[in-house]
Amino acid sequence: MASREKVNIALQKVGEKLVQGFISEIRNANKVSTGALTNPDNWNIEVVDGRLIITTLDYAGTVDAGRGVSEQDDGGALRSALLRWVFDKNITLSQSGRTRGRQTGQFFRKGSINLPSSKTKSVVFAMARKIHEGGWGQRYGIVDFSNKTITRYSDYIASTVGEAYIQDIKESVDETITNYLRNQ
């Protein structure tokens, strides 16, 4: 029986090429925040039972396709992620109107990640509410790296995997005919 080794090797090569393309598309889209998705070490390529499986960080799907409208009661996961983002990126928050003696454009204290100020909490709450109501991606842009890369490499995928399958079929037919002739 012909082995699927050639097909598996071809799929592994395709996976490596796709990951290179994904990283390239993410960089070209200028949507890099932490750079984690552009690090090849954060991508895993496996071939299991003749299937190519590419995995990476959990949020890659959001970067690729955006996030749809969601329930506002997600247990505060989005708010806590946004709060962490505000502090990790050291984003400065400013007043956008005259309230309590402050003038427009004045900055206010954020507090700390463990004890954020009430102003920081309200800004993060408003951000989370907007994302819950309108989703994220369609309005702010998405990378769509998977579709772009697969489209760009479709000829390479077809030729690489196709040639491996042709070789596999040829070996299978040769073995079948050879075994048939031996049994005659």
Side-chain angles (χ1 to χ4, degrees):
M1 178 112 178
S3 76
R4 293 278 171 148
E5 187 176 336
K6 288 183 178 75
V7 173
N8 290 343
I9 291 170
L11 287 172
Q12 184 72 27
K13 287 180 184 177
V14 166
E16 291 166 4
K17 190 79 162 178
L18 287 175
V19 167
Q20 290 173 0
F22 294 160
I23 292 170
S24 173
E25 286 293 336
I26 292 168
R27 282 188 181 132
N28 291 341
N30 200 21
K31 300 274 184 194
V32 177
S33 178
T34 64
L37 284 175
T38 59
N39 182 350
D41 294 336
N42 290 328
W43 294 82
N44 186 34
I45 305 163
E46 289 182 89
V47 178
V48 179
D49 296 330
R51 290 187 61 212
L52 175 62
I53 300 170
I54 300 173
T55 55
T56 189
L57 303 173
D58 292 339
Y59 63 88
T62 305
V63 172
D64 188 35
R67 172 192 166 128
V69 176
S70 59
E71 293 293 321
Q72 292 201 14
D73 185 23
D74 64 351
L78 179 60
R79 281 192 312 273
S80 63
L82 286 169
L83 185 65
R84 191 171 44 255
W85 175 74
V86 165
F87 282 96
D88 287 350
K89 293 293 178 183
N90 198 22
I91 294 172
T92 55
L93 304 169
S94 67
Q95 192 68 38
S96 62
R98 291 183 73 99
T99 55
R100 295 188 190 165
R102 290 182 184 237
Q103 294 180 354
T104 302
Q106 287 188 325
F107 299 103
F108 55 85
R109 291 192 176 104
K110 290 189 296 191
S112 68
I113 186 75
N114 296 327
L115 189 59
S117 71
S118 61
K119 290 280 189 185
T120 303
K121 285 182 186 177
S122 64
V123 168
V124 166
F125 179 82
M127 291 165 64
R129 185 179 61 217
K130 278 298 196 186
I131 292 172
H132 281 305
E133 289 172 357
W136 176 84
Q138 281 57 27
R139 181 180 297 160
Y140 304 108
I142 55 174
V143 177
D144 196 25
F145 62 83
S146 61
N147 286 331
K148 290 177 182 176
T149 303
I150 290 172
T151 301
R152 185 171 35 155
Y153 291 127
S154 62
D155 291 340
Y156 173 80
I157 295 168
S159 67
T160 304
V161 177
E163 289 172 10
Y165 269 112
I166 289 170
Q167 188 63 33
D168 185 41
I169 292 168
K170 184 178 178 184
E171 288 175 9
S172 179
V173 169
D174 286 347
E175 287 177 12
T176 305
I177 291 173
T178 304
N179 287 337
Y180 176 77
L181 292 174
R182 283 187 192 151
N183 292 332
Q184 290 300 320

